[in-house]
Amino acid sequence: MLTKAATIPATNAAQVILRDLNQRFGSAAITAQSTADHIPTFWIGREIIHDVLKHLRHGAALSFRVLYDLTAVDERLRVHREGLPPADFTVVYHLISFERNDDIRIKVPLHESTLEVPTAADIWPNANWYEREVWDLFGIKFAGHPTLRRIMTPPTWTGHPLRKDHVARATEMEPYVLTEEREIAEQEALRFKPEDWGMKLHSKTSDFMFLNLGPNHPSVHGVFRIILQLEGEEIVDAVPEIGFHHRGAEKMGERQTWHTYIPYTDRIDYLGGVMNNFPYVMAVETLAGITVPPRAQMIRIMLAELFRMASHLVFYGTMSQDVGQLSPVFYMFADRERVFHIIEAICGFRMHPAWFRIGGVAADLPQGWDKMIRDYLDYQPKRLDEYHKLVMQNRLFKARTVGVGAYTLDEALDWGVTGPGLRACGLEWDYRKQRPYSGYDQLEFEIPTCNNGDCYDRVVVHIEEMRQSLRIIRQCLDNMPPGPYRSMHKLATPPLRDKTMHDIETLITHFLNASWGPVLPPGEAMVSIEATKGINGYYLTADGASTSYRTRIRTPSFPHLQMIPLISRGAYVADLIAILGSIDFVMADVDR
Amino acid sequence: MNHPGSIIPGLLNIVLGLAFLMAAAALLTWVERRLLGFFQDRPGPNRAGPFGSLQVVADGIKLLFKQDWIPPFADPAVFVLAPAIAMVTVMLAIAVIPATPVIGIIGNLNVGLLFFLAMSGLGVYSVVLAGWSSNNKFSLLGGMRAAAQMVSYEVFMGLSLVGVVMLSGSFNLTDIIHSQRHLWYVVPQFIGFVIFFMGGIAETHRLPFDLPEGESELGAGFHTEYSGMKFGMFFVGEYIGIILVSAMTTVLFLGGWYGPFLPPFMWFGIKTGFFVAFFILLRAALPRPRYDQFMSFGWKLLLPLTLLNILVTGALILGLPGPS
């Protein structure tokens, strides 16, 4: 039934795994696929998928500890499927082994009549939310899932938005009318029923209080709702609810051209600015085979690190504000203004410059950029020292954060934690170091780690990262290579104009590339980077069109929020606020 | 004060005192915001009037003209009563404070100190009733915290003053000030001074001890459901509370109006103003402890310390030949 594809991925590990799987499950059930990102990709029938995943997690010689991403693709309208098993929908598992620095992608082909796969939540706990998301947006069922209900869309929603036959814009739908009955029904649907989540209403001695924290609450950092089961002020259990910030960013990717989607990415982690452009344009460049010139690479790194500063400063300030300190947030926002001042001078915008382009950046650095950055680099470290005294050495701050919200490295891996939250548990794993991209391998910096994995350590890692960022920015400043700021590749955007007026062919090509955008060759690529809050990746499927066939955005905050109940059980309400602050999330990064 | 003619100056005294107090509390809201702005590298309110001083008026007008709203799920009578208690108790307590030998309402009350403690004890009702009658879970949590916090810190606050009473031999605040003519009690009663001031912060539930409000956790805590002038009364009550605690600290530990060169009223104002500014600085500087940490700090550290303070003070008074 499944045919073997012609090419087998190049890496050795991939062949070992393939041989192992073939031996164990029979070669008929497994098909290999080659992708532009060179991640070993195997198609596996749904009858054996659970066993295969279990084997890959626990049994295999080359096991994969972390479920990095789980998503799906609606394959029904995909034109270029040469060599791939027939499928209406595909469920995609992306596994990572931090130990071996290795990836694997497992795909399950599904027919429209039997949209069901066994759940992987018993293998990786973080599969829980990912599977709910796939169910919500694609309508694929996960047999054995404990709470398979909608997560992004409201419970009253009909249809599954990421299916190709679902409307993409509000104007394609009937005008929305909120009648009184509908309002009541919507309100009722939002009501939290503890029984639905298997929660008890009373303990032996007392009734529990169910406290609805959010979606509008000063300390949930956006529209995040978390329902607490309280005994006094102690948290017995918690149910996080997300989706209030869901804007269908992935669906928009299927409508916008490769080029015009860049500004949308800025708003995913809205504190990260161009940091979001980074994985997206790199994924597009991987698909198109574009090599970015060194100057553009260095500019990208510099801007990304400036945004890491801006984002971490917000984190630092809001974290101290969450435990009741009023002043630091003002100092840190003032510092962030300085960063934005530089970013504005370079990009013309502050928070969401959308400044990266396919093949480079939008413009060369302006005159005087180096002085601005040098001034900032001289200014910031002293301020960080002051903040260290003000916040980190404050006894009350320590009392509120040391030992609070701790998780072990094992738990972090179980729940797919990445970024500072992972490094606070002692694992020295940073994408910039382990899989250097865009020239990070030419720069000197360290990866700060801590050992306790509590709120305090997460803050420490963030702060040390800021110092390392400053170090990276200084190296960019001192070693900025000359040369073009964008690639001359024909698919790079915006298309070059210098020869357009000489012959009609170039004019037509320019016109098409500027108005419709470039057409990328069919293929698949997942490119990830070390973003401000963890690993952020774009998994793009091109189908030979000017738009993406499927844009999957893997964000770090999504799995981080999922583990909140685990680390807040037994804590106090005030601890939860410290935990939320220390996780460093923004809701747009969770809901997309 | 017995014959009927003395009623009029007495009334005038009360009315003027009240008016001054309200003006001071209102002005304090502006002072606090300007000071916070200064501490936090930002301007603070600077638009209405010179240096933004009319901000107070603007805020007052806004609060007064807001809809006087009682949530349908609240207990209306208690809901209205709570902010009134908040304001009345602090204003009554202020009455016993002698600002100078002549300025003050009942500065000579022979149980002045006890009256002050009684009034701040009653003040607990305002937050508890507000939290309970709002029928809101955040308010309830705030009210619960407030009850526990204020009742326990009331204990340390009262006990920390025993040393002062022992040294001065009087509950009369004017007498206490007189007895500090040579040595302010902040020197022999330093522990009492520190604990009293901390208890005062807890009583007025200001940062870092603002757990009943705990805005990053409980929204606005016990007064989450309040708006308009009822909220305004809590607000003003809190600021009068700050003045009250600062003035009491001045009276009990810093020799009240005593000081060289300047007139007594100035001295009283300067000392009180110093503590008020300190309140604001604390708010700008410190994070908030967790509720259980705060309670164990009180019962496990402050209580033994106050008791020790009383013990040592008593032993010294017995052991040393006193002036009296």
Side-chain angles (χ1 to χ4, degrees):
Chain A
M1 102 201 149
L2 297 180
T3 52
K4 240 185 156 83
T7 47
I8 283 172
T11 55
N12 286 333
Q15 279 165 358
V16 173
I17 291 163
L18 183 61
R19 217 174 301 133
D20 181 39
L21 291 181
N22 277 338
Q23 240 168 37
R24 197 170 284 265
F25 301 100
S27 57
I30 299 156
T31 311
Q33 179 195 347
S34 73
T35 54
D37 53 14
H38 302 300
I39 294 174
T41 305
F42 303 112
W43 291 72
I44 287 169
R46 79 185 172 108
E47 299 77 21
I48 56 166
I49 181 64
H50 194 259
D51 294 333
V52 170
L53 290 176
K54 213 171 194 169
H55 180 63
L56 286 172
R57 164 72 180 82
H58 295 291
L62 301 178
S63 70
F64 292 88
R65 183 73 179 81
V66 176
L67 174 70
Y68 175 61
D69 196 16
L70 195 170
T71 185
V73 183
D74 182 351
E75 305 263 358
R76 290 174 297 177
L77 300 183
R78 194 164 166 187
V79 183
H80 299 277
R81 301 191 77 256
E82 297 84 13
L84 304 181
D88 291 329
F89 286 86
T90 321
V91 176
V92 185
Y93 301 84
H94 187 147
L95 314 178
I96 285 193
S97 161
F98 286 144
E99 235 178 0
R100 298 192 313 279
N101 199 3
D102 217 356
D103 287 38
I104 188 171
R105 187 185 289 129
I106 302 290
K107 292 189 173 185
V108 183
L110 294 174
H111 190 262
E112 221 173 334
S113 56
T114 49
L115 287 179
E116 191 174 301
V117 273
T119 179
D122 53 338
I123 307 173
W124 293 279
N126 63 335
N128 189 317
W129 274 19
Y130 284 117
E131 288 176 350
R132 280 177 67 189
E133 188 189 357
V134 170
W135 155 247
D136 187 3
L137 303 181
F138 289 93
I140 298 171
K141 282 201 187 104
F142 289 85
H145 190 286
T147 46
L148 196 63
R149 60 189 74 192
R150 288 186 182 274
I151 186 166
M152 290 295 171
T153 57
T156 50
W157 192 269
T158 48
H160 301 284
L162 277 185
R163 287 190 177 193
K164 289 287 177 187
D165 47 14
H166 194 281
V167 293
R169 354 168 65 149
T171 45
E172 295 166 42
M173 299 158 79
E174 291 282 299
Y176 183 83
V177 184
L178 188 66
T179 58
E180 200 169 323
E181 298 87 69
R182 192 162 179 184
E183 190 183 342
I184 292 168
E186 294 280 350
Q187 293 274 7
E188 194 51 41
L190 279 176
R191 186 187 297 280
F192 178 73
K193 297 181 195 73
E195 307 83 31
D196 293 353
W197 298 87
M199 288 174 150
K200 285 193 185 127
L201 296 176
H202 333 268
S203 69
K204 272 181 197 147
T205 50
S206 58
D207 289 354
F208 292 125
M209 179 199 260
F210 288 91
L211 184 68
N212 186 26
L213 205 82
N216 298 309
H217 184 279
S219 292
V220 291
H221 296 246
V223 276
F224 174 45
R225 182 187 188 200
I226 179 160
I227 297 128
L228 303 175
Q229 185 185 23
L230 295 177
E231 172 131 40
E233 278 207 40
E234 200 182 309
I235 297 167
V236 180
D237 206 350
V239 178
E241 250 197 46
I242 61 169
F244 299 97
H245 210 307
H246 182 64
R247 298 155 299 173
E250 293 181 5
K251 186 85 174 172
M252 286 182 216
E254 297 170 16
R255 207 185 67 227
Q256 298 295 325
T257 68
W258 298 105
H259 176 68
T260 58
Y261 188 61
I262 296 173
Y264 288 89
T265 64
D266 277 39
R267 286 143 181 89
I268 299 300
D269 165 10
Y270 52 71
L271 297 178
V274 299
M275 187 75 94
N276 297 285
N277 305 161
F278 216 154
Y280 175 71
V281 294
M282 284 206 304
V284 174
E285 285 153 9
T286 309
L287 285 170
I290 300 174
T291 316
V292 181
R295 184 175 174 86
Q297 288 195 335
M298 192 72 103
I299 296 176
R300 282 181 178 181
I301 289 183
M302 191 173 76
L303 261 294
E305 294 303 324
L306 279 172
F307 264 105
R308 194 187 307 279
M309 287 301 298
S311 171
H312 279 17
L313 281 168
V314 172
F315 159 80
Y316 201 178
T318 51
M319 173 69 203
S320 68
Q321 195 181 33
D322 282 341
V323 296
Q325 213 167 7
L326 284 182
S327 299
V329 70
F330 289 100
Y331 307 142
M332 289 153 192
F333 269 65
D335 288 354
R336 179 171 173 253
E337 275 314 299
R338 286 175 187 254
V339 180
F340 278 154
H341 194 57
I342 300 170
I343 290 169
E344 194 183 10
I346 295 176
C347 311
F349 274 88
R350 286 155 45 86
M351 277 182 80
H352 306 136
W355 201 60
F356 289 3
R357 294 289 182 272
I358 300 166
V361 292
D364 207 347
L365 294 169
Q367 263 185 5
W369 66 276
D370 45 345
K371 174 156 190 338
M372 290 186 89
I373 292 183
R374 192 158 283 130
D375 288 348
Y376 173 70
L377 290 175
D378 292 339
Y379 159 87
Q380 189 67 66
K382 283 179 226 141
R383 298 282 284 193
L384 287 179
D385 293 342
E386 278 183 41
Y387 303 153
H388 189 73
K389 277 185 215 145
L390 181 67
V391 181
M392 301 306 286
Q393 292 183 341
N394 187 308
R395 279 197 204 174
L396 283 174
F397 184 82
K398 281 188 183 168
R400 285 294 306 278
T401 50
V402 174
V404 172
Y407 49 77
T408 62
L409 181 57
D410 253 355
E411 285 168 336
L413 297 174
D414 272 349
W415 290 89
V417 174
T418 54
L422 180 66
R423 294 189 281 274
C425 302
L427 185 66
E428 198 180 309
W429 213 94
D430 189 309
Y431 227 88
R432 294 173 292 173
K433 208 61 155 184
Q434 258 69 21
R435 301 178 181 179
Y437 50 89
S438 191
Y440 268 109
D441 46 344
Q442 298 156 28
L443 298 166
E444 274 178 29
F445 61 99
E446 276 142 38
I447 310 168
T449 55
C450 280
N451 289 317
N452 302 321
D454 56 10
C455 292
Y456 189 78
D457 279 5
R458 289 195 276 279
V459 185
V460 171
V461 170
H462 275 93
I463 294 165
E464 287 309 310
E465 278 189 20
M466 283 201 264
R467 295 189 188 275
Q468 296 301 327
S469 285
L470 292 173
R471 208 172 141 193
I472 295 172
I473 296 168
R474 191 175 289 281
Q475 291 174 53
C476 294
L477 178 71
D478 294 339
N479 305 307
M480 184 59 72
Y485 62 88
R486 50 156 291 154
S487 162
M488 296 299 142
H489 196 282
K490 64 179 169 38
L491 291 175
T493 60
L496 289 171
R497 292 194 60 186
D498 39 352
K499 295 198 182 87
T500 44
M501 294 305 168
H502 295 297
D503 64 285
I504 187 69
E505 276 309 315
T506 337
L507 182 65
I508 291 172
T509 314
H510 178 271
F511 179 76
L512 289 179
N513 270 0
S515 53
W516 293 352
V519 173
L520 260 55
E524 288 173 32
M526 168 88 162
V527 175
S528 305
I529 62 149
E530 189 67 42
T532 58
K533 293 160 180 65
I535 302 178
N536 183 10
Y538 279 72
Y539 173 41
L540 302 178
T541 306
D543 199 29
S546 61
T547 64
S548 149
Y549 182 79
R550 166 93 175 98
T551 305
R552 162 66 182 171
I553 310 169
R554 192 275 177 195
T555 56
S557 302
F558 185 82
H560 294 175
L561 285 201
Q562 194 181 175
M563 77 181 301
I564 287 175
L566 177 81
I567 51 178
S568 58
R569 277 179 205 129
Y572 291 94
V573 177
D575 289 336
L576 176 77
I577 306 300
I579 290 171
L580 291 179
S582 73
I583 285 179
D584 186 19
F585 62 91
V586 296
M587 283 319 287
D589 197 39
V590 179
D591 295 343
R592 286 153 281 131
Chain B
M1 290 241 187
N2 288 341
H3 72 94
S6 67
I7 287 177
I8 290 156
L11 273 180
L12 202 66
N13 193 1
I14 289 172
V15 170
L16 281 179
L18 264 184
F20 179 77
L21 192 62
M22 295 301 290
L27 198 66
L28 186 52
T29 62
W30 171 75
V31 170
E32 163 158 56
R33 279 188 273 177
R34 289 295 294 198
L35 264 182
L36 277 181
F38 173 69
F39 293 141
Q40 295 169 346
D41 279 355
R42 58 189 177 87
N46 61 356
R47 295 303 155 104
F51 303 105
S53 55
L54 291 183
Q55 186 69 36
V56 184
V57 182
D59 284 347
I61 292 172
K62 183 193 82 173
L63 286 177
L64 275 172
F65 282 86
K66 271 201 166 180
Q67 187 189 3
D68 186 38
W69 188 69
I70 298 172
F73 43 80
D75 183 328
V78 185
F79 190 80
V80 174
L81 189 65
I85 296 177
M87 218 163 135
V88 166
T89 49
V90 281
M91 294 212 296
L92 280 176
I94 280 236
V96 296
I97 289 178
T100 70
V102 286
I103 304 175
I105 296 168
I106 39 170
N108 232 342
L109 188 69
N110 59 359
V111 289
L113 191 55
L114 293 181
F115 185 79
F116 159 75
L117 288 175
M119 281 303 132
S120 64
L122 277 179
V124 181
Y125 278 104
S126 72
V127 279
V128 175
L129 292 179
W132 175 76
S133 70
S134 298
N135 207 357
N136 168 317
K137 289 173 186 170
F138 286 103
S139 302
L140 183 65
L141 284 176
M144 269 162 32
R145 284 179 177 192
Q149 163 177 338
M150 291 174 82
V151 167
S152 9
Y153 275 74
E154 193 76 47
V155 174
F156 319 130
M157 203 164 133
L159 285 176
S160 67
L161 297 181
V162 173
V164 169
V165 174
M166 282 156 94
L167 286 175
S168 65
S170 170
F171 283 119
N172 182 324
L173 293 179
T174 308
D175 288 350
I176 291 176
I177 292 177
H178 281 307
S179 66
Q180 297 179 66
R181 201 176 305 122
H182 304 295
L183 181 64
W184 294 354
Y185 285 150
V186 65
V187 180
Q189 283 297 313
F190 188 72
I191 296 175
F193 161 72
V194 173
I195 293 174
F196 175 79
F197 195 69
M198 281 204 276
I201 301 168
E203 282 293 300
T204 46
H205 34 86
R206 295 269 307 177
L207 250 167
F209 300 155
D210 67 337
L211 297 121
E213 291 165 48
E215 66 172 320
S216 58
E217 296 143 31
L218 301 181
F222 67 90
H223 61 57
T224 306
E225 293 291 347
Y226 284 87
S227 66
M229 207 50 216
K230 284 201 284 294
F231 163 75
M233 283 165 84
F234 276 120
F235 200 61
V236 173
E238 180 179 319
Y239 282 90
I240 300 181
I242 294 172
I243 298 176
L244 172 67
V245 172
S246 305
M248 277 308 278
T249 317
T250 306
V251 166
L252 295 169
F253 296 98
L254 285 193
W257 60 74
Y258 281 114
F261 311 122
L262 296 173
F265 182 75
M266 293 284 277
W267 270 116
F268 188 83
I270 288 169
K271 290 174 188 174
T272 307
F274 171 78
F275 285 111
V276 169
F278 190 67
F279 258 101
I280 296 165
L281 177 62
L282 272 184
R283 182 175 173 201
L286 291 181
R288 174 189 312 117
R290 208 172 55 205
Y291 174 64
D292 60 312
Q293 294 166 342
F294 178 58
M295 293 307 279
S296 67
F297 172 71
W299 289 105
K300 290 184 185 156
L301 185 74
L302 293 190
L303 184 67
L305 262 182
T306 45
L307 293 178
L308 194 71
N309 182 41
I310 294 170
L311 211 69
V312 173
T313 311
L316 285 178
I317 289 175
L318 282 179
L320 297 175
S324 50

